[in-house]
Amino acid sequence: MPTFTMRIFRGDTARGEFRDYRVEAEEGMVVLDVIHRVQATQAPDLAVRWNCKAGKCGSCSAEVDGRPRLMCMTRMELFSEREPVTVAPIRAFPLIRDLVTDVSFNFEKAKTIPPLRLKPPEPDGTYRMMQEDIDRIQEFHKCIECFLCQDVCHVIRDHEENKRAFAGPRVFIKVASLEMHPLDTRDRTEFVRATASVGLCNITKCCTEVCPEGIHITDNAIIPLKERMADSFDPIVWLLRKFRGQTTQPA
Amino acid sequence: MANADYETHEHDVIVIGAGGAGLRAAIEAAAQGVSVGLVCKSLLGKAHTVMAEGGIAAALGNVWPEDNWQVHFRDTMRGGKMLNNWRMAQLHAQEAPERVLELERWGALFDRTKDGRILQRDFGGHRYARLAHVGDRTGLEMIRTLQYHGIHQGIDVYMECTIARLLKDGERVSGAVGYWRPHGKVVLFKAKAIVLATGGIGKAWKITSNSWEYTGDGHALALWAGADLIDMEFVQFHPTGMVWPPSVRGILVTEGVRGDGGMLKNNQGERFMFNYIPEFFKGETADNEEEADRWYDDKRNNRRTPDLLPRDEVARAINAEMKAGRGSPHGGVYLDIASRRTADYIRKRLPSMYHQFKELAGVDITKEPMEVGPTCHYVMGGVRVDADSTAATVPGLFAAGEVAGGMHGSNRLGGNSLSDLLVFGRRAGLHAALYAKDFGGALTVDAGQVDAVARELVEPLARVGGENPYAIQADLQETMQSLVGLIRTERELEEALRKLEALKARAKRVRVEGGRTYNPGWHTALDLRSLLAVAECCALAALERKESRGGHTRDDHPYTDDQWGKVNVVLRLKNGTLQLSREPLPEMPGELRALFQERK
């Protein structure tokens, strides 16, 4: 059975260091299994957040060998036994302990999003929506809120000061899903511009690259939101484009 | 070392658990204008509901206009082998459609029919295609919808907070004490009414589809507070969990695979379910492959495939095939959808199954069959409640969702869980709020009770010597897996109870390393108490029920017994000891009984 050296961050807000643990890994094991094995046999107080262990809840985000990943969906076969495998907490959020961070930033931002405002229903009291009109939003609804996109976003990862004004990719796909909802009637232009500050995103696509659900965050959510911002400054241009059926260019 | 400086929060209603039932309860209570606190063990939106895959059962009649609440009610009762609380099953079938439409109004986007309505899919035990769904990630859609609707309703959410004990003022509940998982401090919630929505107990078994949270907290909290539990012997082993690689053993494979055309096969390539059609379902089940295949497209003139018998039947059949040596290489059977459906269809309908097998097992389900086997999935038993109000037998205490008993009888149909969460979550929130509004007198909490719980919580941290909590948990899971599993006998159940006594003694000496800041070892140690309590309840009730029915199969009593079909096994604590009794089921009124005589 292969034996790995897991170099795991141990520590709290006061101090911390990487410590090495030697662990055997059976075929098919994922990083989270190995972390649990360390917990059960060597470090019972090793803090890690997890729930479903099936890539559905988005709790076990960490930086494995420097790359933001879900620990439950990262198989040990990816790594070599010869090199230590480093496991660190996601960096963009304040540390609580070991691999657990305080992700409340994301929940606070979520509350600021103006919710759905429905148009009136059909005469029978229900709504009709065509599959082709919701396909693109269903892509956004796949989000498991692992916050890896938030973690990797340069706007907040390297600039703590931007956190106040910038909402981040997770919020942008949520907003995009509301904006593109066939039944929604609310105008979120001001929210997207001033509260969520989509303008700060410089389209490096880091968020898209790390998304474990493969959501095209930049192309399908952020760029369309930026286009709307650009369009909203000039209603005449917007109208002309609409009548001519032209698509807009990225802002 | 009592921690006198605990923080206190006060609400009219607190809801414990923030999955589908808890969120729906909190939303409803808030709509009634009372102050609501929602306490969850994990972060908001991570509860077990997120893992539900196949769909929400509701007789919308969008795909089959013949469907209506009476048919859904009948399917549910028959799936539960008539042990269900008939009134719960009736309310559930009647109200589920409106609850689904309400989710849509709150932003949920279900897959659509060609004319733009909510599409419904086939599932085990349901006569018509009935499950509103979003591919195979319906639970995610449901919890996210409730979560984003809920955060705008003025509910106070307390995340990563575990409740350890309910408090009482005389007969009625008055609050709950718990601890914050991030920093380990004790917290008191004072409340006029409490809704339990804590989910199930599956973490007491080794092979389970359930997450770490499913430690039976609500069942145990209710029991310790003096409430009745019913039907604790009925545990659902879902027929299709992953079996390989070992680290993913137990992870759920949605019944939607079979609903969308997947077939179970043994290692000879035989569709073995045709050999396991019970008398009870013979009239409505196809007995040959041709009819079963035609049924997918023509339900009027064909009977349903036995691959979609209720879960208890399918799980037992798979178990029998494995025992007879006709299993797959890694100890399961084959589930094959690739030979019936195109790759595009499979990826569109079952995206997360495709992803899960590809990433975790290196299997491409559009090309090859999956290997699957039974996994502990759901407990039918739970807190005994009044069907209409969800009130437990302790005043001020309500329960909804998996923690409540009765709705599903001896076996739950797939898809009936998400609808249960919505229907009874709403009812729990409503009636808890009404109770709180009617509450007379002052809300008093005995500080001595709080201090006692606080002291108990920190004991494992202070102990010297003693045992590793993970080792005790693993031994408990092994015990339940091997002795209180899918097939049971008196001898094994008695042995399980002896082992549980020993485990209880070991748990009293559990010792935890490290401090109170986000310490999973400590959390595991504290969860042992509820896990052991529910494990004992399950084993005791299973020993008592000397027949086989639904999720309870006794090798030494292999037949269903009509006398046992008239009683629930009830457990309650009296002066610190667990007491067991058989109590009659509520009797179904004549007009509903007639529904079972009309058709084959």
Side-chain angles (χ1 to χ4, degrees), chain A residues 41-81:
Chain A
T41 57
Q42 304 178 50
D45 64 337
L46 170 59
V48 56
R49 190 185 267 136
W50 69 286
N51 277 52
C52 77
K53 213 177 100 58
K56 294 185 171 70
C57 77
S59 300
C60 64
S61 301
E63 300 191 5
V64 185
D65 273 354
R67 185 182 163 84
R69 288 176 175 280
L70 294 178
M71 285 187 274
C72 72
M73 294 303 280
T74 306
R75 288 175 70 156
M76 290 304 293
E77 279 101 329
L78 278 175
F79 307 105
S80 157
E81 286 172 74

Short mmCIF file of all heavy atoms in Angstrom, two decimals, chain A residues 41-81:
data_model
loop_
_atom_site.label_atom_id
_atom_site.label_comp_id
_atom_site.label_asym_id
_atom_site.label_seq_id
_atom_site.Cartn_x
_atom_site.Cartn_y
_atom_site.Cartn_z
N THR A 41 -5.99 8.45 13.83
CA THR A 41 -4.84 7.70 14.35
C THR A 41 -3.71 8.56 14.91
O THR A 41 -2.97 8.12 15.77
CB THR A 41 -4.23 6.80 13.24
OG1 THR A 41 -3.88 7.63 12.12
CG2 THR A 41 -5.22 5.74 12.80
N GLN A 42 -3.56 9.78 14.41
CA GLN A 42 -2.39 10.55 14.83
C GLN A 42 -2.70 11.92 15.43
O GLN A 42 -1.96 12.40 16.29
CB GLN A 42 -1.43 10.76 13.65
CG GLN A 42 -0.99 9.47 12.99
CD GLN A 42 -0.09 9.73 11.78
OE1 GLN A 42 0.86 10.48 11.86
NE2 GLN A 42 -0.42 9.11 10.66
N ALA A 43 -3.73 12.57 14.94
CA ALA A 43 -4.01 13.93 15.39
C ALA A 43 -5.52 14.11 15.56
O ALA A 43 -6.19 14.71 14.72
CB ALA A 43 -3.47 14.93 14.38
N PRO A 44 -6.08 13.58 16.67
CA PRO A 44 -7.55 13.58 16.82
C PRO A 44 -8.20 14.96 16.79
O PRO A 44 -9.39 15.07 16.52
CB PRO A 44 -7.77 12.90 18.18
CG PRO A 44 -6.44 12.84 18.85
CD PRO A 44 -5.39 12.93 17.79
N ASP A 45 -7.42 15.99 17.07
CA ASP A 45 -8.03 17.32 17.08
C ASP A 45 -7.80 18.09 15.78
O ASP A 45 -8.09 19.28 15.71
CB ASP A 45 -7.53 18.13 18.28
CG ASP A 45 -6.03 18.41 18.20
OD1 ASP A 45 -5.32 17.64 17.50
OD2 ASP A 45 -5.58 19.38 18.84
N LEU A 46 -7.30 17.41 14.75
CA LEU A 46 -7.09 18.07 13.46
C LEU A 46 -8.41 18.62 12.92
O LEU A 46 -9.34 17.86 12.65
CB LEU A 46 -6.48 17.06 12.47
CG LEU A 46 -6.39 17.47 10.99
CD1 LEU A 46 -5.56 18.74 10.82
CD2 LEU A 46 -5.82 16.35 10.15
N ALA A 47 -8.48 19.94 12.77
CA ALA A 47 -9.75 20.56 12.37
C ALA A 47 -9.91 20.54 10.86
O ALA A 47 -9.02 20.98 10.12
CB ALA A 47 -9.80 21.99 12.88
N VAL A 48 -11.03 20.00 10.41
CA VAL A 48 -11.36 19.99 8.99
C VAL A 48 -12.88 20.07 8.88
O VAL A 48 -13.60 19.48 9.68
CB VAL A 48 -10.81 18.72 8.31
CG1 VAL A 48 -11.30 17.45 8.98
CG2 VAL A 48 -11.16 18.68 6.83
N ARG A 49 -13.33 20.82 7.88
CA ARG A 49 -14.79 20.95 7.70
C ARG A 49 -15.19 20.06 6.52
O ARG A 49 -14.56 20.09 5.47
CB ARG A 49 -15.10 22.41 7.39
CG ARG A 49 -16.55 22.76 7.41
CD ARG A 49 -16.77 24.20 6.98
NE ARG A 49 -16.81 25.14 8.08
CZ ARG A 49 -16.18 26.32 8.09
NH1 ARG A 49 -15.43 26.68 7.08
NH2 ARG A 49 -16.29 27.12 9.13
N TRP A 50 -16.18 19.25 6.72
CA TRP A 50 -16.66 18.39 5.63
C TRP A 50 -18.08 17.95 5.94
O TRP A 50 -18.53 18.02 7.09
CB TRP A 50 -15.77 17.14 5.48
CG TRP A 50 -15.88 16.17 6.62
CD1 TRP A 50 -15.35 16.32 7.87
CD2 TRP A 50 -16.56 14.91 6.63
NE1 TRP A 50 -15.66 15.23 8.65
CE2 TRP A 50 -16.40 14.35 7.91
CE3 TRP A 50 -17.28 14.20 5.66
CZ2 TRP A 50 -16.95 13.11 8.26
CZ3 TRP A 50 -17.82 12.98 6.00
CH2 TRP A 50 -17.64 12.45 7.30
N ASN A 51 -18.81 17.53 4.93
CA ASN A 51 -20.13 16.95 5.16
C ASN A 51 -20.38 15.71 4.31
O ASN A 51 -20.42 14.61 4.82
CB ASN A 51 -21.24 17.98 4.88
CG ASN A 51 -21.48 18.88 6.06
OD1 ASN A 51 -20.55 19.46 6.58
ND2 ASN A 51 -22.71 18.98 6.51
N CYS A 52 -20.54 15.92 2.99
CA CYS A 52 -21.12 14.83 2.21
C CYS A 52 -20.08 13.83 1.71
O CYS A 52 -20.40 12.69 1.45
CB CYS A 52 -21.90 15.40 1.04
SG CYS A 52 -20.88 15.99 -0.33
N LYS A 53 -18.86 14.25 1.53
CA LYS A 53 -17.79 13.42 0.96
C LYS A 53 -18.17 12.88 -0.41
O LYS A 53 -17.77 11.77 -0.77
CB LYS A 53 -17.42 12.27 1.93
CG LYS A 53 -15.93 11.91 1.86
CD LYS A 53 -15.56 10.84 2.84
CE LYS A 53 -15.46 9.47 2.23
NZ LYS A 53 -14.50 9.34 1.14
N ALA A 54 -18.94 13.64 -1.15
CA ALA A 54 -19.32 13.19 -2.49
C ALA A 54 -19.37 14.37 -3.47
O ALA A 54 -20.03 14.29 -4.50
CB ALA A 54 -20.68 12.49 -2.44
N GLY A 55 -18.71 15.46 -3.12
CA GLY A 55 -18.66 16.59 -4.05
C GLY A 55 -19.96 17.33 -4.22
O GLY A 55 -20.16 18.02 -5.21
N LYS A 56 -20.86 17.21 -3.24
CA LYS A 56 -22.17 17.85 -3.41
C LYS A 56 -22.43 19.01 -2.46
O LYS A 56 -23.31 19.82 -2.70
CB LYS A 56 -23.28 16.81 -3.23
CG LYS A 56 -23.28 15.76 -4.31
CD LYS A 56 -24.47 14.83 -4.16
CE LYS A 56 -24.58 13.92 -5.37
NZ LYS A 56 -23.51 12.92 -5.40
N CYS A 57 -21.69 19.07 -1.34
CA CYS A 57 -22.01 20.10 -0.35
C CYS A 57 -21.03 21.26 -0.35
O CYS A 57 -21.34 22.34 0.13
CB CYS A 57 -22.12 19.50 1.05
SG CYS A 57 -20.53 19.15 1.81
N GLY A 58 -19.84 21.05 -0.88
CA GLY A 58 -18.88 22.15 -0.97
C GLY A 58 -18.30 22.61 0.36
O GLY A 58 -18.00 23.78 0.55
N SER A 59 -18.13 21.68 1.31
CA SER A 59 -17.62 22.07 2.62
C SER A 59 -16.10 21.94 2.75
O SER A 59 -15.49 22.65 3.53
CB SER A 59 -18.25 21.21 3.72
OG SER A 59 -19.64 21.36 3.73
N CYS A 60 -15.50 20.97 2.02
CA CYS A 60 -14.12 20.59 2.33
C CYS A 60 -13.09 21.26 1.43
O CYS A 60 -12.08 20.66 1.07
CB CYS A 60 -13.98 19.07 2.29
SG CYS A 60 -14.28 18.36 0.65
N SER A 61 -13.31 22.52 1.11
CA SER A 61 -12.37 23.25 0.28
C SER A 61 -11.04 23.45 1.00
O SER A 61 -11.02 23.76 2.19
CB SER A 61 -12.96 24.62 -0.07
OG SER A 61 -14.18 24.46 -0.74
N ALA A 62 -9.95 23.26 0.26
CA ALA A 62 -8.61 23.50 0.82
C ALA A 62 -7.66 23.73 -0.34
O ALA A 62 -8.04 23.59 -1.51
CB ALA A 62 -8.16 22.29 1.64
N GLU A 63 -6.42 24.11 0.00
CA GLU A 63 -5.43 24.28 -1.05
C GLU A 63 -4.46 23.10 -0.98
O GLU A 63 -3.67 22.99 -0.06
CB GLU A 63 -4.75 25.64 -0.90
CG GLU A 63 -5.79 26.76 -1.01
CD GLU A 63 -5.21 28.17 -1.14
OE1 GLU A 63 -3.98 28.31 -1.24
OE2 GLU A 63 -6.02 29.12 -1.12
N VAL A 64 -4.59 22.21 -1.95
CA VAL A 64 -3.79 20.99 -1.96
C VAL A 64 -2.64 21.18 -2.96
O VAL A 64 -2.89 21.42 -4.14
CB VAL A 64 -4.65 19.77 -2.35
CG1 VAL A 64 -3.83 18.48 -2.24
CG2 VAL A 64 -5.89 19.68 -1.47
N ASP A 65 -1.44 21.09 -2.46
CA ASP A 65 -0.25 21.42 -3.26
C ASP A 65 -0.44 22.75 -3.98
O ASP A 65 -0.09 22.91 -5.15
CB ASP A 65 0.05 20.30 -4.28
CG ASP A 65 0.95 19.22 -3.66
OD1 ASP A 65 1.41 19.41 -2.50
OD2 ASP A 65 1.17 18.20 -4.32
N GLY A 66 -1.01 23.69 -3.26
CA GLY A 66 -1.16 25.04 -3.77
C GLY A 66 -2.39 25.29 -4.63
O GLY A 66 -2.68 26.42 -4.97
N ARG A 67 -3.11 24.22 -4.97
CA ARG A 67 -4.27 24.43 -5.85
C ARG A 67 -5.58 24.30 -5.05
O ARG A 67 -5.78 23.32 -4.35
CB ARG A 67 -4.25 23.39 -6.97
CG ARG A 67 -5.34 23.62 -7.99
CD ARG A 67 -5.32 22.53 -9.07
NE ARG A 67 -6.59 22.52 -9.80
CZ ARG A 67 -6.89 23.32 -10.82
NH1 ARG A 67 -6.00 24.18 -11.25
NH2 ARG A 67 -8.07 23.26 -11.42
N PRO A 68 -6.47 25.30 -5.18
CA PRO A 68 -7.75 25.19 -4.47
C PRO A 68 -8.58 24.03 -5.00
O PRO A 68 -8.83 23.95 -6.20
CB PRO A 68 -8.43 26.53 -4.78
CG PRO A 68 -7.33 27.45 -5.18
CD PRO A 68 -6.31 26.59 -5.87
N ARG A 69 -8.98 23.14 -4.09
CA ARG A 69 -9.70 21.93 -4.50
C ARG A 69 -10.68 21.50 -3.42
O ARG A 69 -10.52 21.88 -2.26
CB ARG A 69 -8.71 20.76 -4.64
CG ARG A 69 -7.78 20.81 -5.80
CD ARG A 69 -6.83 19.61 -5.67
NE ARG A 69 -5.92 19.46 -6.79
CZ ARG A 69 -6.24 18.91 -7.96
NH1 ARG A 69 -7.45 18.45 -8.17
NH2 ARG A 69 -5.36 18.80 -8.93
N LEU A 70 -11.62 20.63 -3.82
CA LEU A 70 -12.42 19.92 -2.83
C LEU A 70 -11.61 18.69 -2.42
O LEU A 70 -11.22 17.88 -3.27
CB LEU A 70 -13.75 19.45 -3.43
CG LEU A 70 -14.75 20.52 -3.84
CD1 LEU A 70 -15.98 19.85 -4.46
CD2 LEU A 70 -15.16 21.36 -2.65
N MET A 71 -11.38 18.52 -1.13
CA MET A 71 -10.57 17.38 -0.68
C MET A 71 -11.26 16.05 -0.99
O MET A 71 -10.62 15.04 -1.21
CB MET A 71 -10.29 17.49 0.81
CG MET A 71 -9.24 18.54 1.13
SD MET A 71 -8.79 18.51 2.88
CE MET A 71 -10.05 19.56 3.56
N CYS A 72 -12.60 16.06 -1.00
CA CYS A 72 -13.33 14.81 -1.21
C CYS A 72 -13.32 14.36 -2.66
O CYS A 72 -13.70 13.23 -2.95
CB CYS A 72 -14.77 14.94 -0.73
SG CYS A 72 -15.80 15.98 -1.78
N MET A 73 -12.95 15.23 -3.56
CA MET A 73 -12.96 14.85 -4.98
C MET A 73 -11.54 14.81 -5.55
O MET A 73 -11.35 14.74 -6.76
CB MET A 73 -13.82 15.84 -5.78
CG MET A 73 -15.30 15.81 -5.44
SD MET A 73 -16.09 14.19 -5.62
CE MET A 73 -16.35 14.15 -7.38
N THR A 74 -10.55 14.85 -4.68
CA THR A 74 -9.16 14.84 -5.14
C THR A 74 -8.53 13.51 -4.77
O THR A 74 -8.27 13.23 -3.59
CB THR A 74 -8.37 16.00 -4.49
OG1 THR A 74 -9.05 17.22 -4.75
CG2 THR A 74 -6.95 16.05 -5.04
N ARG A 75 -8.30 12.68 -5.79
CA ARG A 75 -7.78 11.34 -5.50
C ARG A 75 -6.29 11.36 -5.25
O ARG A 75 -5.54 12.12 -5.86
CB ARG A 75 -8.11 10.41 -6.68
CG ARG A 75 -9.58 10.08 -6.72
CD ARG A 75 -9.94 9.28 -7.92
NE ARG A 75 -9.41 7.92 -7.83
CZ ARG A 75 -9.94 6.88 -8.49
NH1 ARG A 75 -10.99 7.06 -9.25
NH2 ARG A 75 -9.42 5.69 -8.39
N MET A 76 -5.84 10.49 -4.36
CA MET A 76 -4.43 10.44 -3.99
C MET A 76 -3.56 9.99 -5.15
O MET A 76 -2.36 10.27 -5.18
CB MET A 76 -4.23 9.53 -2.77
CG MET A 76 -4.79 10.08 -1.46
SD MET A 76 -4.14 11.72 -1.03
CE MET A 76 -2.41 11.33 -0.71
N GLU A 77 -4.15 9.29 -6.13
CA GLU A 77 -3.36 8.86 -7.30
C GLU A 77 -2.74 10.03 -8.06
O GLU A 77 -1.79 9.84 -8.81
CB GLU A 77 -4.24 8.06 -8.29
CG GLU A 77 -4.45 6.63 -7.91
CD GLU A 77 -5.81 6.38 -7.26
OE1 GLU A 77 -6.32 7.30 -6.59
OE2 GLU A 77 -6.35 5.29 -7.41
N LEU A 78 -3.30 11.24 -7.83
CA LEU A 78 -2.75 12.42 -8.50
C LEU A 78 -1.34 12.75 -8.02
O LEU A 78 -0.60 13.45 -8.69
CB LEU A 78 -3.63 13.64 -8.18
CG LEU A 78 -4.89 13.87 -8.97
CD1 LEU A 78 -5.64 15.05 -8.38
CD2 LEU A 78 -4.54 14.15 -10.43
N PHE A 79 -1.00 12.25 -6.84
CA PHE A 79 0.24 12.70 -6.20
C PHE A 79 1.29 11.59 -6.17
O PHE A 79 0.97 10.41 -6.23
CB PHE A 79 -0.04 13.20 -4.78
CG PHE A 79 -1.13 14.23 -4.74
CD1 PHE A 79 -2.40 13.91 -4.28
CD2 PHE A 79 -0.90 15.52 -5.20
CE1 PHE A 79 -3.42 14.85 -4.28
CE2 PHE A 79 -1.90 16.47 -5.20
CZ PHE A 79 -3.17 16.14 -4.73
N SER A 80 2.52 12.02 -6.01
CA SER A 80 3.62 11.07 -5.92
C SER A 80 3.94 10.79 -4.46
O SER A 80 3.85 11.68 -3.61
CB SER A 80 4.85 11.67 -6.61
OG SER A 80 6.01 11.07 -6.11
N GLU A 81 4.31 9.54 -4.21
CA GLU A 81 4.72 9.20 -2.84
C GLU A 81 6.05 9.84 -2.47
O GLU A 81 6.40 9.95 -1.31
CB GLU A 81 4.91 7.67 -2.72
CG GLU A 81 3.64 6.89 -2.68
CD GLU A 81 3.99 5.41 -2.75
OE1 GLU A 81 4.48 4.88 -1.74
OE2 GLU A 81 3.81 4.82 -3.83
#
